[in-house]
Structure formats: structure tokens, C-alpha cells
Amino acid sequence: MLSKREPATWQELQEMVAQVLIECGFATEVEKKIQSVRGEVEIDVYAEEKVFNRLNIILFECKYWKSKIPQNIIHGFRTVLSDIGANTGYIISSSGFQSGSF
């Protein structure tokens, strides 16, 4: 749970995730466009921090859906993480995940 209240929209979910990261000291951008090896992708929340002078990139995919997240979304996000060279990625879901998706 990110907050005591649930977000009303997908945009608010993205902003809530970004706010938590900012409070933890991360540099963040919402809806950041990045060039990957397969073309341009839009990242819902992009965060980075320097740890011992090494850049750590974390990507967040925010899903404000009424249904649970299927496996193909997880697989696609893993491909984006790899293509961009991010260190870590998280999918934030308002409804959970289908069996086998995590």
C-alpha cells in the first residue's frame, strides 16, 4: 500500500509512486520516454540514484486496472528492462496479478 487512500486514476497512481521515491531521495520522472534497442518506450515512473558513484536505474510500470495483470505484461516489461539496461523494475498493480505472473 502506497498511501492511506487509493488513487482515483492511473495518473494519480504514477504520481503517488514518484512521490514515495522522491521522499526516499531518488531523482524521478513520470512518463519518461527512452530510446531502447527496439525503439522508443514510455516508462510510467523512472527513478535513478547514485550508489558509490554508480548509477542505479529503476523502472516502474503502474497498472490501474480492474483485472489482474497477465503474464504477457510481465514478460514485456522484463524485455524493456533488459533493452534499456535498468538495474531493477517493479510493476505496481491496483488489482494484483494472475497466477504464474510473479
Side-chain angles (χ1 to χ4, degrees):
M1 175 153 310
L2 291 173
S3 172
K4 291 181 181 178
R5 65 175 185 77
E6 289 190 31
T9 65
W10 60 268
Q11 296 97 331
E12 191 174 355
L13 176 58
Q14 290 178 348
E15 291 298 332
M16 290 171 80
V17 169
Q19 186 59 43
V20 168
L21 294 163
I22 290 167
E23 290 173 10
C24 292
F26 290 84
T28 66
E29 289 185 55
V30 176
E31 297 181 10
K32 180 178 176 80
K33 292 183 179 169
I34 299 176
Q35 191 64 38
S36 79
V37 296
R38 299 171 203 267
E40 187 176 82
V41 294
E42 185 173 292
I43 305 302
D44 290 343
V45 181
Y46 173 94
E48 57 182 45
E49 67 174 340
K50 285 227 175 174
V51 178
F52 300 113
N53 288 328
R54 185 172 182 202
L55 185 63
N56 185 29
I57 297 172
I58 306 169
L59 308 181
F60 294 82
E61 184 76 12
C62 299
K63 298 296 187 192
Y64 188 77
W65 293 1
K66 293 183 193 247
S67 59
K68 294 182 178 189
I69 307 303
Q71 278 185 333
N72 65 325
I73 297 297
I74 307 298
H75 292 265
F77 186 58
R78 288 182 66 188
T79 299
V80 170
L81 289 171
S82 177
D83 287 356
I84 291 173
N87 300 85
T88 310
Y90 297 95
I91 296 178
I92 311 298
S93 170
S94 60
S95 297
F97 300 87
Q98 289 181 359
S99 177
S101 293
F102 43 91

